[in-house]
């Protein structure tokens, strides 16, 4: 299914109108357009496509954060399709897996997909392709401006190295000739077209249009293997945004090497498979999931773009993948390594109390997916937690004192190993709920009130739930507790109790509960 000319004016207008409403939405990461997907299949319905950082079932989302189902423009209603893509970033991640030396190592001749950089300022990115400067006919390397030093103090005339961090004169491949800087940081009204840098190569460097490691079947850019873009930004879940290559070439005033008729420049459309080779995630091929994309929420340094192309999860990794050439091709099913997103709740608790709880992600996932989802009350508690994540995060912005941290640390030490043992094989655990566990739960609840993480009325509401529901669980094992949590009467008590705490962002009873 391809986007036809008659689709575009209405979709662009609908997208533009929706953008104004969604810029302040805490979950939305991008807005674009394409066709609706239903149960994994592409339909013929043109829609506005909204990406959210974490896609959840409707019942798990606060009513105040639900997205509209349609957007109206010029008398027509366009549907809205929601997909997942974490927040994009233009910054390097704080942590990254070690580079594969065969990608980041020395390449002579320099091959598409290897890593280059500006060693004087510590910047780096992926070598896109060879181009000819139209102003003087010189051979140059194309990459992003960030790769050659934009934002870190790099400037025209700086030596560019491959390998990227080397200061050995033998590893200097050329000099930074010019770049197109990103403008308007933190200003969504200033839209950039491209982020690009041009490196004039040394005459004796030697050239090749081959691709690093023979990936992509070692097919160079050509009329049979068309380039469509250059990678701009990625997110923690591997979603990617790329700039259309014709814009990059035009704005830098360059042309592709050995492509006089520009027949190696392709046109990408919704659901096309694209592929790339980059210095961190190497070879990947994934489908295009949105066209005409505008990033809405960007982590780190914020620069704003429009009319980008969005590729599905797993296409690239934050960091040195930017600059990679994006070409038509591949089977769409090859994802690369990427940095898994941390749980917002665990990250908040770790930041507040200095406890290593993010390393317990797998344990918490098992408790949620293996235990809580098995009961009506458990599913309700999951949904209520998701609906109030921002409230929890906001309350945690005030730093904890030593006494509060000490109390939290004692509970973590006391119950971490016990919880780990139970969740190792919960159905066969002989552990029973003891009164002292419930006493500690009540003490922790009072502590949250004492340190003003909960309001007095919230403490009162949770104490009432403790008395009417939790206190009845003494002596229960795993199976007895599950049966109790599946009791409709217990569910009604928990739902009503939570709903009566009016400061919480409560959701309607879920059909899945």
């Amino acid at each position: 299914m391809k986007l036809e000319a008659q689709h575009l004016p209405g979709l662009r207008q609908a997208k533009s109108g929706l953008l104004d409403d969604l810029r302040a939405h805490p979950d939305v990461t991008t807005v674009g357009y394409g066709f609706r997907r239903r149960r994994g299949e592409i339909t013929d319905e043109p829609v506005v496509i909204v990406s959210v950082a974490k896609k959840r079932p409707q019942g798990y989302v606060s009513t105040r954060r639900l997205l509209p189902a349609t957007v109206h423009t010029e008398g027509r209603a366009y549907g809205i399709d929601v997909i997942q893509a974490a927040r994009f970033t233009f910054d390097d991640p704080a942590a990254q897996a070690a580079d594969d030396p065969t990608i980041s190592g020395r390449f002579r001749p320099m091959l598409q997909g290897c890593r280059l950089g500006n060693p004087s300022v510590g910047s780096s990115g992926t070598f896109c392709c060879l181009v000819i400067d139209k102003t003087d006919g010189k051979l140059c390397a194309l990459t992003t401006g960030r790769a050659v030093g934009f934002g870190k103090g790099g400037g025209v005339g700086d030596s560019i190295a491959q390998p990227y961090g080397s200061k050995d004169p033998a590893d200097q491949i050329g000099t930074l000739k010019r770049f197109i800087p990103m403008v308007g940081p933190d200003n969504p009204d200033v839209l950039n077209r491209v982020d690009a840098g041009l490196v004039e190569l040394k005459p004796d460097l030697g050239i090749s249009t081959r691709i690093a490691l023979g990936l992509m079947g070692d097919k160079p850019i050509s009329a049979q293997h068309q380039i469509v873009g250059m990678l701009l930004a990625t997110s923690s879940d591997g979603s990617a945004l790329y700039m259309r290559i014709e814009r990059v070439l035009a704005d830098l005033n360059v042309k592709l090497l050995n492509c006089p008729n520009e027949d190696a420049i392709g046109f990408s459309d919704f659901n096309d498979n694209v592929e790339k080779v980059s210095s961190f995630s190497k070879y990947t091929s994934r489908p295009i999931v949105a066209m005409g994309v505008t990033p809405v929420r960007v982590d780190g340094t914020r620069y704003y773009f429009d009319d980008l192309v969005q590729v599905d999860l797993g296409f690239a990794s934050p960091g040195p993948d930017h600059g990679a050439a994006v070409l038509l091709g591949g089977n769409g099913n090859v994802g690369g390594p990427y940095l898994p997103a941390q749980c917002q709740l665990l990250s908040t608790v770790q930041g507040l109390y200095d406890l290593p709880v993010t390393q317990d992600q797998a344990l918490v996932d098992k408790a949620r997916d293996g235990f809580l989802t098995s009961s009506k009350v458990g599913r309700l508690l999951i949904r209520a937690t998701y609906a109030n994540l921002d409230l929890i995060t906001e309350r945690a912005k005030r730093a904890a004192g030593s006494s509060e941290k000490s109390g939290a640390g004692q509970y973590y030490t006391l119950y971490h190993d016990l919880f780990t043992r139970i969740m190792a094989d919960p159905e066969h655990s002989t552990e029973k709920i003891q009164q002292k566990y419930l006493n500690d739960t009540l003490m922790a609840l009072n502590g949250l009130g004492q340190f003003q993480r909960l309001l007095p009325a919230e403490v009162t509401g949770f104490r009432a739930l403790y008395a009417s529901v939790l206190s009845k669980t003494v002596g229960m094992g795993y199976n007895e507790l599950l049966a109790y949590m599946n009791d409709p009467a217990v569910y009604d008590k928990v739902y009503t109790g939570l709903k009566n705490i009016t400061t919480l962002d409560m959701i309607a009873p879920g059909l899945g509960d």
Side-chain angles (χ1 to χ4, degrees):
M1 185 64 61
K2 303 298 181 184
L3 286 166
E4 304 294 343
Q6 67 266 24
H7 294 137
L8 299 181
L11 285 172
R12 286 169 177 161
Q13 188 169 355
K15 171 203 154 188
S16 178
L18 192 62
L19 263 175
D20 294 335
D21 297 331
L22 295 184
R23 287 197 186 278
H25 196 292
D27 300 328
V28 173
T29 57
T30 68
V31 182
Y33 47 78
F35 290 99
R36 186 183 298 280
R37 291 178 186 269
R38 186 170 281 116
R39 292 183 292 276
E41 298 296 324
I42 305 296
T43 72
D44 61 357
E45 179 190 356
V47 291
V48 176
I49 296 176
V50 177
S51 297
V52 295
K54 180 69 174 178
K55 186 176 180 181
R56 298 186 176 102
Q58 183 171 323
Y60 287 68
V61 181
S62 159
T63 54
R64 293 184 298 188
R65 295 168 67 164
L66 285 174
L67 294 169
T70 58
V71 57
H72 295 264
T73 179
E74 293 187 343
R76 174 172 177 176
Y78 285 93
I80 295 174
D81 202 17
V82 180
I83 64 175
Q84 180 170 309
R87 291 185 184 182
F88 291 87
T89 179
F90 295 109
D91 299 333
D92 289 344
Q96 191 172 73
D99 292 310
D100 183 329
T102 59
I103 291 287
S104 295
R106 195 174 194 270
F107 286 83
R108 293 298 183 272
M110 198 168 63
L111 302 181
Q112 179 185 316
C114 70
R115 190 173 180 181
L116 51 70
N118 185 333
S120 66
V121 297
S123 63
S124 67
T126 296
F127 166 42
C128 178
C129 60
L130 293 169
V131 295
I132 300 296
D133 186 352
K134 289 184 176 181
T135 67
D136 58 14
K138 296 291 183 64
L139 180 67
C140 300
L142 175 64
T143 187
T144 60
R146 283 149 42 227
V148 290
F150 169 73
K152 292 189 174 183
V156 172
D158 286 356
S159 291
I160 305 301
Q162 203 295 309
Y164 70 97
S166 176
K167 295 185 178 181
D168 185 336
D171 292 330
Q172 307 310 295
I173 60 170
T175 57
L176 176 55
K177 192 170 190 178
R178 59 180 178 269
F179 61 87
I180 300 173
M182 294 185 290
V183 296
D186 299 315
N187 185 352
D189 294 325
V190 178
L191 296 178
N192 291 270
R193 280 172 54 92
V194 301
D195 167 28
L198 192 65
V199 180
E200 183 172 323
L201 300 174
K202 290 181 176 180
D204 59 351
L205 186 67
I207 63 171
S208 173
T209 58
R210 291 170 48 230
I211 296 167
L213 305 183
L215 300 172
M216 289 192 196
D218 206 14
K219 297 182 296 183
I221 296 170
S222 67
Q224 291 74 43
H225 194 206
Q226 294 177 315
I227 184 172
V228 292
M230 183 166 73
L231 196 65
L232 171 69
T234 51
S235 68
S236 60
D237 62 13
S239 300
L241 299 172
Y242 70 80
M243 305 167 283
R244 287 161 38 193
I245 194 64
E246 63 269 23
R247 282 188 175 171
V248 176
L249 298 176
D251 286 7
L252 267 181
N253 198 21
V254 298
K255 62 182 180 180
L256 296 173
L257 178 68
N258 298 333
C259 300
N261 300 321
E262 297 188 344
D263 55 357
I265 298 175
F267 174 78
S268 52
D269 205 341
F270 183 80
N271 204 43
D272 282 345
N273 291 335
V274 290
E275 58 184 358
K276 65 107 185 81
V277 171
S278 58
S279 57
F280 180 65
S281 58
K282 306 185 182 72
Y283 175 79
T284 58
S285 174
R286 301 291 288 147
I288 292 172
V289 293
M291 303 293 295
V293 173
T294 299
V296 174
R297 297 185 73 83
V298 180
D299 278 340
T301 307
R302 295 176 175 86
Y303 292 95
Y304 293 88
F305 285 74
D306 194 17
D307 202 21
L308 300 173
V309 181
Q310 184 171 327
V311 188
D312 205 3
L313 314 179
F315 189 63
S317 299
D321 277 1
H322 62 84
V326 180
L327 296 97
L328 292 174
N331 63 12
N333 291 320
V334 182
Y338 56 87
L339 302 176
Q342 288 188 335
C343 167
Q344 180 180 342
L345 180 61
L346 293 183
S347 297
T348 298
V349 171
Q350 179 161 304
L352 180 63
Y353 296 126
D354 293 334
L355 294 173
V357 293
T358 57
Q359 70 185 24
D360 296 322
Q361 179 74 65
L363 181 64
V364 173
D365 287 348
K366 185 174 183 180
R368 180 195 63 207
D369 300 335
F371 174 62
L372 288 177
T373 59
S374 300
S375 71
K376 291 171 63 68
V377 170
R379 292 190 291 272
L380 173 63
L381 294 177
I382 293 171
R383 296 195 300 119
T385 301
Y386 282 143
N388 288 277
L389 276 177
D390 285 342
L391 177 63
I392 296 168
T393 302
E394 183 64 29
R395 298 260 182 101
K397 286 183 177 178
R398 178 174 48 83
S402 58
S403 178
E404 186 179 4
K405 287 184 178 180
S406 174
Q410 289 175 15
Y411 284 122
Y412 180 79
T413 300
L414 186 61
Y415 286 103
H416 178 270
D417 290 348
L418 172 65
F419 187 63
T420 300
R421 288 198 306 273
I422 293 172
M423 292 312 301
D425 188 7
E427 293 187 23
H428 297 95
S429 173
T430 59
E431 188 68 40
K432 306 282 187 181
I433 294 178
Q434 301 179 32
Q435 184 62 51
K436 66 178 181 179
Y437 301 162
L438 300 184
N439 293 343
D440 283 343
T441 301
L442 198 57
M443 287 288 291
L445 174 61
N446 292 335
L448 290 171
Q450 175 188 345
F451 293 108
Q452 300 177 1
R453 304 299 172 186
L454 292 176
L455 302 179
E458 293 168 348
V459 175
T460 300
F462 283 121
R463 286 182 66 94
L465 277 171
Y466 171 89
S468 65
V469 177
L470 195 58
S471 65
K472 315 298 184 185
T473 62
V474 174
M476 290 185 183
Y478 178 83
N479 292 319
E480 294 166 294
L481 184 59
L482 273 184
Y484 181 70
M485 293 172 69
N486 273 310
D487 185 334
V490 175
Y491 175 90
D492 289 342
K493 287 181 182 180
V494 175
Y495 180 80
T496 302
L498 291 174
K499 187 177 180 181
N500 288 338
I501 304 174
T502 57
T503 48
L504 296 184
D505 197 354
M506 196 51 189
I507 34 67
L511 295 176
D513 295 344

